[in-house]
Amino acid sequence: MEKQRTPDGGPLRRIVIVGGGTAGWMTAAPLGQLMARVDPKARCEIVLIESPDIGTVGVGEATLPTIRFYNRTLDLDNAEFIRKTQATFKLGIEFKDWGHLGNRFFHGFGEFGPAIQNRSSVMHWLRLRSMGGMDSHEHWSTATVMALRNRFVPPDGDAPSAANAYSYAFHFDAGLYAAYLRDYAMARGVSREEGTIVDVSVRPGDGFVTAVTLDDGRRIEGDLFIDCSGFRALLIEGVCKAGYHDWTHWLPCDSAQAVPCDKTAPLTPYTTSTARSAGWQWRIPLQHRTGNGHVYCSGYTSDDEAGRVLLQNLDGPALGEPRQLRFKTGMRRKTWDRNVVAIGLSSGFVEPLESTSIQLIMDGVGRLIELFPDKRCDRHLANEYNRRMAQQYESIRDFIVLHYKLTARDDSEFWRYCSGMSIPDTLNHQIELFRRSGRVTILDPDGFAEPSWVSLLLGLDCWPQRLDPLLQQVDERALRTHFERLRQAISQTVDGMPDHGAFIDRYVRAEPLQRARP
């Protein structure tokens, strides 16, 4: 029997990124920065192939606070980035009609006050609430109070205070962001090839991809191929047949329509998610327009009806016709297979309810750099990459499923399905632990933190039946005094902040675009 050939070792000499858009250029930028610092004799060439005939999805315009660390790693000028991408600031997400009609709650970025005797502030708040006389926990979230008053300044100071007890992210035009990173990457040596891939060559024996051929006959060879081809998954599925974990039984939405509209005042520093009869609608305010979309399940409503609901609930005139999107929630069984790594939509898709798509791109390229291979693409590196990506995907999946499962809505067949559906054992454990003890467990250290889970659990009316008995060690009167002082400090601090729109106009206002991007 012939022994399978082991790929030759040695450093990578060329990385080929298949696909542009947000995923492609967010991958190319840090790789270009990394290689620009390497000795030219040992430098790895980076080539990105982008087809002018294939559009990008472009629904991921809201982000999580970690986008700031990605930008900082690239040494981007924050003010320039905001102006170039028509960005605004994001303090969290406002949820409307989730859980029950008329419900409203906020998922803010930040804590609900400092821990007390090694127990979270919320646990102590729950104890006081059970005794009566406590307002909503949202009064102790600086980000939430800021958002509801349309105020914004970046956190200030090093000593813990209400002036820095919050974080923030951005809303931006994903197309403009990709173009901004394209210029950044190409300035650091990344080359761009325009064309459509019509053939893929693989090495006999081990199935490693060796080259791709473009429609004009050019053949581009490489040692490592990064699949940023979106839902097409040209290499990871088309060539490697990595397989797919289908999660539509937990996340049944399979369609979306997206359309921008004229911007309206006030310029809110948060995303809005409004539950509809067969899904939900997003609203993302940018400097030059407002992004909107309707995510829905085609089994419970028609495309025409979904489009009507979307257009009927815009703040201003639509800037074009809604763009139709189809998807299947889930993830690849392997996101790194042989010498192919999938990043972005080619690796999987969890609907944009909590703005995780760009987060998964950042973490995908970050882990690739951390586990950077040589030409052999050792399978143990790939296994570790796949383990960590799977853990993150599953944690995000559970957090999104939580939004649907904890509903009391019975006004439509869709919501009746969601309330009655089975859920992953991991999520069931997290819900029941909180319901029975008020404790939150975090299964993925890189996933959503305790305050985020608390915001959703309480916002969806999941209340603990019992509390940690050690909470009784804190004097009730002293505890109430502490919470009242903290609430006043937050309120007074936010009162002194400028309006979100005024802050942007003063410091980071972008030049008007001639035409709003669809």
Side-chain angles (χ1 to χ4, degrees):
M1 180 175 179
E2 184 180 352
K3 186 176 180 180
Q4 182 171 318
R5 179 176 177 269
T6 301
D8 295 331
L12 301 175
R13 304 309 299 172
R14 179 182 287 166
I15 297 173
V16 179
I17 301 172
V18 175
T22 309
W25 290 112
M26 285 190 73
T27 299
L31 287 174
Q33 180 197 49
L34 177 67
M35 293 305 159
R37 296 171 176 171
V38 174
D39 186 301
K41 296 179 181 179
R43 191 170 297 166
C44 176
E45 182 184 2
I46 301 169
V47 178
L48 184 145
I49 302 170
E50 193 167 30
S51 172
D53 302 322
I54 300 175
T56 57
V57 173
V59 300
E61 295 178 327
T63 59
L64 295 171
T66 44
I67 186 68
R68 291 160 44 213
F69 304 109
Y70 173 88
N71 286 351
R72 189 181 305 161
T73 299
L74 297 180
D75 297 320
L76 299 182
D77 179 88
N78 202 44
E80 179 188 56
F81 148 72
I82 293 171
R83 295 188 184 102
K84 289 281 188 179
T85 62
Q86 297 283 334
T88 62
F89 297 95
K90 176 186 174 183
L91 292 163
I93 306 173
E94 179 187 39
F95 288 91
K96 294 181 177 180
D97 292 336
W98 286 86
H100 60 84
L101 289 170
N103 188 27
R104 188 233 128 257
F105 66 92
F106 198 84
H107 171 198
F109 297 146
E111 302 282 348
F112 293 94
I116 304 168
Q117 293 192 2
N118 295 319
R119 297 294 189 270
S120 72
S121 182
V122 168
M123 293 185 76
H124 291 278
W125 175 86
L126 284 166
R127 175 197 166 199
L128 294 180
R129 177 186 178 275
S130 69
M131 302 167 73
M134 289 297 284
D135 289 329
S136 167
H137 61 287
E138 293 188 348
H139 288 289
W140 286 273
S141 164
T142 304
T144 301
V145 176
M146 291 170 64
L148 298 184
R149 299 186 192 178
N150 285 328
R151 305 296 179 89
F152 183 81
V153 290
D156 181 53
D158 296 324
S161 71
N164 55 33
Y166 60 96
S167 190
Y168 68 93
F170 300 103
H171 306 115
F172 56 60
D173 185 311
L176 294 178
Y177 188 55
Y180 182 56
L181 293 180
R182 179 191 62 205
D183 293 343
Y184 174 98
M186 294 181 68
R188 285 155 182 81
V190 175
S191 61
R192 176 182 180 271
E193 299 291 339
E194 187 172 294
T196 301
I197 294 174
V198 295
D199 188 51
V200 180
S201 301
V202 299
R203 187 164 58 206
D206 59 22
F208 273 43
V209 175
T210 57
V212 294
T213 303
L214 304 186
D215 52 358
D216 61 2
R218 282 177 294 159
R219 189 172 189 270
I220 300 176
E221 298 181 344
D223 303 311
L224 177 69
F225 289 79
I226 304 177
D227 189 343
C228 297
S229 64
F231 289 134
R232 295 179 301 282
L234 180 66
L235 300 183
I236 195 67
E237 193 60 43
V239 175
C240 297
K241 309 299 182 185
Y244 198 74
H245 292 291
D246 185 341
W247 293 339
T248 53
H249 50 296
W250 292 317
L251 294 168
C253 290
D254 60 1
S255 303
Q257 293 185 35
V259 67
C261 72
D262 279 345
K263 66 178 183 178
T264 56
L267 189 62
T268 53
Y270 53 88
T271 304
T272 300
S273 171
T274 304
R276 302 298 183 198
S277 63
W280 59 279
Q281 183 169 336
W282 79 73
R283 178 186 180 276
I284 299 174
L286 306 180
Q287 291 196 44
H288 64 312
R289 62 171 172 81
T290 299
N292 308 274
H294 185 186
V295 177
Y296 60 95
C297 178
S298 62
Y300 294 100
T301 190
S302 67
D303 293 337
D304 288 344
E305 175 63 12
R308 186 193 66 78
V309 169
L310 172 62
L311 294 173
Q312 182 177 292
N313 290 282
L314 300 181
D315 292 337
L319 301 173
E321 293 296 319
R323 182 183 178 191
Q324 183 71 61
L325 304 167
R326 304 290 187 199
F327 53 83
K328 179 188 291 184
T329 52
M331 67 167 294
R332 299 289 158 202
R333 294 182 183 276
K334 292 181 181 179
T335 48
W336 181 343
D337 192 356
R338 286 162 272 184
N339 68 332
V340 173
V341 179
I343 293 179
L345 297 177
S346 60
S347 68
F349 182 77
V350 182
E351 61 182 74
L353 184 53
E354 287 282 353
S355 311
T356 54
S357 293
I358 285 177
Q359 179 70 43
L360 286 162
I361 295 171
M362 291 190 301
D363 289 340
V365 67
R367 290 185 181 118
L368 176 59
I369 291 173
E370 181 184 343
L371 299 168
F372 201 72
D374 60 16
K375 288 183 179 180
R376 288 171 294 207
C377 289
D378 188 282
R379 65 184 177 87
H380 294 287
L381 292 175
N383 290 344
E384 176 62 10
Y385 184 92
N386 289 332
R387 182 191 69 81
R388 291 170 63 181
M389 290 305 298
Q391 177 177 262
Q392 183 174 25
Y393 259 103
E394 290 167 0
S395 175
I396 290 172
R397 173 203 67 195
D398 287 0
F399 192 63
I400 302 302
V401 173
L402 176 71
H403 296 62
Y404 290 100
K405 177 61 177 178
L406 293 183
T407 184
R409 288 187 60 163
D410 62 358
D411 55 293
S412 71
E413 189 178 352
F414 172 80
W415 288 109
R416 288 192 291 272
Y417 170 84
C418 291
S419 66
M421 69 181 174
S422 62
I423 59 176
D425 291 341
T426 45
L427 175 58
N428 186 66
H429 169 65
Q430 290 174 288
I431 292 174
E432 290 306 314
L433 182 69
F434 185 78
R435 183 174 280 144
R436 294 167 186 268
S437 71
R439 293 174 173 88
V440 174
T441 186
I442 302 300
L443 304 182
D444 175 20
D446 296 324
F448 287 98
E450 180 174 333
S452 295
W453 283 87
V454 165
S455 294
L456 266 295
L457 288 162
L458 298 185
L460 294 168
D461 289 329
C462 181
W463 297 95
Q465 299 165 353
R466 292 178 294 277
L467 296 173
D468 182 348
L470 293 181
L471 297 174
Q472 301 293 333
Q473 293 182 345
V474 181
D475 179 72
E476 178 193 348
R477 182 177 299 178
L479 193 59
R480 289 188 182 275
T481 299
H482 162 81
F483 272 96
E484 183 55 32
R485 288 175 177 171
L486 185 59
R487 175 178 175 170
Q488 291 178 6
I490 292 172
S491 183
Q492 291 171 4
T493 299
V494 174
D495 282 343
M497 294 178 177
D499 174 82
H500 174 233
F503 180 87
I504 288 176
D505 285 344
R506 181 172 181 181
Y507 296 106
V508 288
R509 183 172 60 185
E511 291 297 322
L513 295 179
Q514 290 185 349
R515 289 185 60 187
R517 297 178 64 88

